[in-house]
Amino acid sequence: MSKDSFSFKQFTIRQERCAMKVGTDGVLLGAWACTKPADSPLHILDVGTGTGLIALFLAQRFHNAVIDAIDIDDDAVEQARENFATSPFAERLTVRKAYLQDEDGNMTYDLIVCNPPFFVNSLTCPDTKRTMARHAKTLTLAELARKSSRLLKDSGTLAVILPSESKTTMESEAIFNGLTIQRICRVKTKKAKNEKRVMMELGIMADNMSDEILIIGDDNYATLTGDFYL
């Protein structure tokens, strides 16, 4: 396998044209979002799709789901389109260039997923595409929460993965925009270490919140990702 591609059990990701490559964050969110027994989203929006990784995970998991993917980078859109076309799920996946902020609300979703850009005050990268993918200049958490609250169906869910230090900001923006925290998963690299990432599900309808811990490489992680990794 070359650095320009990454093979999973049911599909292969080409990534030579994308600033952000296949990584643990995308794998985690794609495998974790909507894993409650009652969840079975039919219409999904993947915001900032990049290579299309999360959309492909969701297409594999939810056999009846139709997935719209958007990205603001031309190369990422073309890369995702190629990856969708060579997958077994091509007929259920579409991708287009678009900003989430410009979505008009004519379509509503059961699930919106996003691995958002998260650097706020850090130095930007000389690589413009990498800066767009990593720095919250093109999509802030406030914009993500506000627009998602308008695009979700009443029973819909917004699922995100963030650095642990962004959790409080996401919670505040969610509450301000009428979203309720339904699930939290705190991701650690080792049991004794502090969490590095947090995955959150937020919805319009109130629910009993669950709070989980996931340790990279343990049995629960292997179970979560086992249907995907070779």
Side-chain angles (χ1 to χ4, degrees):
M1 184 184 306
S2 74
K3 65 179 181 180
D4 290 337
S5 67
F6 197 106
S7 293
F8 294 91
K9 284 183 178 178
Q10 295 192 32
F11 56 86
T12 295
I13 296 286
R14 296 284 308 179
Q15 55 185 1
E16 70 274 6
R17 300 172 65 180
C18 287
M20 298 304 294
K21 311 301 183 185
V22 170
T24 304
D25 287 3
V27 168
L28 283 171
L29 185 60
W32 178 84
C34 280
T35 47
K36 292 190 296 184
D39 292 333
S40 186
L42 295 177
H43 206 176
I44 299 171
L45 176 66
D46 178 17
V47 179
T49 195
T51 61
L53 172 68
I54 295 173
L56 284 161
F57 265 56
L58 296 172
Q60 178 178 325
R61 289 178 53 209
F62 301 113
H63 300 164
N64 297 316
V66 174
I67 302 166
D68 298 331
I70 60 174
D71 204 289
I72 62 173
D73 179 66
D74 290 308
D75 284 337
V77 170
E78 289 307 311
Q79 189 93 81
R81 184 172 288 122
E82 293 166 3
N83 289 331
F84 292 169
T86 58
S87 79
F89 326 112
E91 72 281 359
R92 296 188 286 114
L93 292 156
T94 60
V95 61
R96 54 193 167 85
K97 182 178 180 179
Y99 286 82
L100 176 65
Q101 297 92 322
D102 293 336
E103 295 296 285
D104 57 18
N106 288 333
M107 182 67 70
T108 55
Y109 296 91
D110 301 296
L111 173 64
I112 298 174
V113 290
C114 186
N115 177 10
F118 49 77
F119 289 128
V120 178
N121 295 318
S122 59
L123 292 174
T124 58
C125 174
D127 184 334
T128 303
K129 292 180 182 294
R130 194 166 175 83
T131 292
M132 283 197 305
R134 292 168 63 86
H135 290 261
K137 290 186 172 184
T138 55
L139 180 64
T140 65
L141 296 182
E143 291 169 330
L144 175 60
R146 181 169 58 252
K147 198 65 182 185
S148 294
S149 70
R150 298 172 185 175
L151 294 174
L152 284 172
K153 296 178 181 178
D154 289 344
S155 58
T157 301
L158 166 65
V160 298
I161 184 166
L162 299 163
S164 57
E165 58 267 25
S166 298
K167 175 178 173 289
T168 300
T169 301
M170 187 74 246
E171 288 176 333
S172 298
E173 296 298 346
I175 292 168
F176 182 77
N177 287 282
L179 297 175
T180 300
I181 302 165
Q182 298 175 344
R183 292 174 71 207
I184 292 178
C185 181
R186 306 167 192 274
V187 181
K188 298 183 175 185
T189 55
K190 292 184 178 179
K191 186 176 182 179
K193 290 192 173 183
N194 293 330
E195 62 204 56
K196 293 293 186 182
R197 293 285 187 269
V198 60
M199 293 187 287
M200 305 174 69
E201 285 191 347
L202 312 117
I204 296 170
M205 297 177 62
D207 199 355
N208 294 324
M209 188 186 81
S210 66
D211 197 328
E212 315 156 24
I213 292 176
L214 181 68
I215 301 170
I216 302 296
D218 74 358
D219 290 344
N220 289 332
Y221 175 80
T223 299
L224 183 68
T225 60
D227 288 338
F228 303 97
Y229 281 130
L230 288 170

